[in-house]
Amino acid sequence: MVAGEASGDLLAGLLLGGLQERWPELQAKGIGGPKMAARGFDAWWPNDRLAVHGYVDALRHYREIKAIRDRLAERLLDDPPSGFVGVDAPDFNLGLERRLKSAGIKSIHFVCPSIWAWRGGRAKKMAESCDHVLCLFPFEPELLQRHGVAASYVGHPLADTIPLEPPRAAARQALGLAECDAVVALLPGSRRGEIEHIAPAFLQAAARLQRARPGLRLLLPVAPGLRPLLEPLLAAHAPDVPIELLDGRSHEVMAACDVTLIASGTATLEAALFKRPMVIGYRMAGLSWQIMRRMGYLPWVGLPNILCRDFVVPELLQDRCEPEALARETLAWLDDAARVRALQSRFLDLHHLLRRDTARRATDAIAQVLEGRS
């Protein structure tokens, strides 16, 4: 298995649970993170070696990442596994899967790349690389099958693990929050590049929020290894703001908060499953932004908006991701209870749609591939 970044590690860890239930003696190896390690995964390289932010960052680390992929491919070809599962990270995994598939190793890709949002040319590459794709969203298999790619809808594992009714009271108690506290969660991303580009604007927005609402509680869950990067940014951009840094605990913070200021990515779907209103912000290097903007097909970037096919939450991207606008949109959620209730109803419908016992469905599909039935 290969999982890139924190979101891939989370998905792979959940998938490993289903695989191990079906095959108790399963051995899983490759590239992974702490969630996978907790399931006994043997990580030959940590997945943070693959974490890049945009095209500029990818080019900067290209040689290192390519060397890892080449060495991994040689290792797998020398000692072929029963199957390979690439979890997200399509720029890394699809090329690897193509080599493995051509050598007769069954290759499964978990998470359909967003060919419906941008980079539709990837569909042809997937047909050449994958024996099967496990899709998180219901409209994806039909789209892939038009391009000759076998695929199954397995739902989203987060929809299985996050309760339909968020444990708000328990989360607040665990975090030392009062029921009457107004709470904003700050989630500026889980990659170094995201923190560098996005956190300054989020922290400056937090300073404005605190001035507007002096009693506001501001919580910032910190991904593993990122505290040394965040603390200087906090001192520089919000020096006198009482922002509470919490190591991990992002799900508790999402359950407890009233609204979250959040970087675009998998975390926005987590927030939607916790039925939290949000303001999505995102920035990247200017060249990366220009390239991605030209390849986009949809008017939305955030997963909640894409899945609801509507701007149900604000998106402030690139030049619009600036402190005053971020703070203004965040305060708007705190002042409009009716709007929050309407959003929560839509997110509950979305939760039901995505809740499909993903670990079992995905494991069944993988078993069929390994047995030559798909």
Side-chain angles (χ1 to χ4, degrees), residues 87-324:
V87 183
D88 210 0
D91 289 315
F92 184 96
N93 276 326
L94 290 178
L96 176 61
E97 288 162 14
R98 184 174 183 177
R99 288 184 66 179
L100 300 180
K101 183 182 178 184
S102 66
I105 298 172
K106 296 292 187 182
S107 294
I108 299 103
H109 196 81
F110 184 29
V111 182
C112 173
S114 303
I115 58 173
W116 33 267
W118 69 298
R119 288 183 71 171
R122 269 188 176 155
K124 180 180 178 182
K125 187 173 183 179
M126 293 180 70
E128 298 168 346
S129 304
C130 313
D131 290 291
H132 205 90
V133 179
L134 307 175
C135 300
L136 301 181
F137 305 124
F139 57 86
E140 293 174 325
E142 182 182 355
L143 180 61
L144 287 172
Q145 286 159 11
R146 290 183 208 155
H147 296 277
V149 183
S152 301
Y153 170 51
V154 298
H156 203 295
L158 288 170
D160 295 322
T161 58
I162 295 172
L164 291 170
E165 179 66 32
R168 183 177 185 273
R172 287 200 164 212
Q173 183 176 12
L175 293 168
L177 301 168
E179 177 62 27
C180 61
D181 284 338
V183 180
V184 173
L186 305 171
L187 293 156
S190 59
R191 294 179 287 181
R192 295 185 68 86
E194 288 177 329
I195 296 297
E196 290 166 354
H197 283 93
I198 300 167
F202 277 27
L203 294 173
Q204 292 170 40
R208 287 165 168 77
L209 290 169
Q210 200 268 336
R211 287 198 296 270
R213 303 285 173 90
L216 198 64
R217 299 290 295 271
L218 297 160
L219 308 182
L220 198 165
V222 183
L226 293 181
R227 183 179 277 265
L229 180 61
L230 268 166
E231 287 178 338
L233 292 174
L234 188 62
H237 298 286
D240 301 315
V241 182
I243 298 173
E244 301 171 52
L245 299 185
L246 302 167
D247 291 317
R249 307 185 74 175
S250 62
H251 279 193
E252 282 181 294
V253 170
M254 286 187 192
C257 74
D258 293 295
V259 59
T260 176
L261 183 53
I262 190 165
S264 180
T266 301
T268 62
L269 180 61
E270 294 176 80
L273 294 172
F274 276 105
K275 321 302 182 298
R276 294 299 89 202
M278 69 192 82
V279 178
I280 297 174
Y282 208 74
R283 295 180 67 94
M284 59 176 58
L287 178 59
S288 296
W289 170 252
Q290 293 299 328
I291 294 171
M292 292 191 70
R293 187 173 64 171
R294 290 190 181 99
M295 291 195 292
Y297 303 147
L298 299 178
W300 316 284
V301 169
L303 279 170
N305 290 340
I306 290 171
L307 293 170
C308 292
R309 304 196 67 77
D310 191 7
F311 281 105
V312 296
V313 299
E315 295 181 358
L316 298 175
L317 310 177
Q318 206 61 9
D319 292 341
R320 296 180 64 229
C321 183
E322 55 88 22
E324 192 64 42

Side-chain angles (χ1 to χ4, degrees), residues 106 131-133 150-152 364-374:
K106 296 292 187 182
D131 290 291
H132 205 90
V133 179
S152 301
D364 288 348
I366 290 171
Q368 290 185 17
V369 174
L370 299 184
E371 295 163 7
R373 293 187 285 122
S374 174

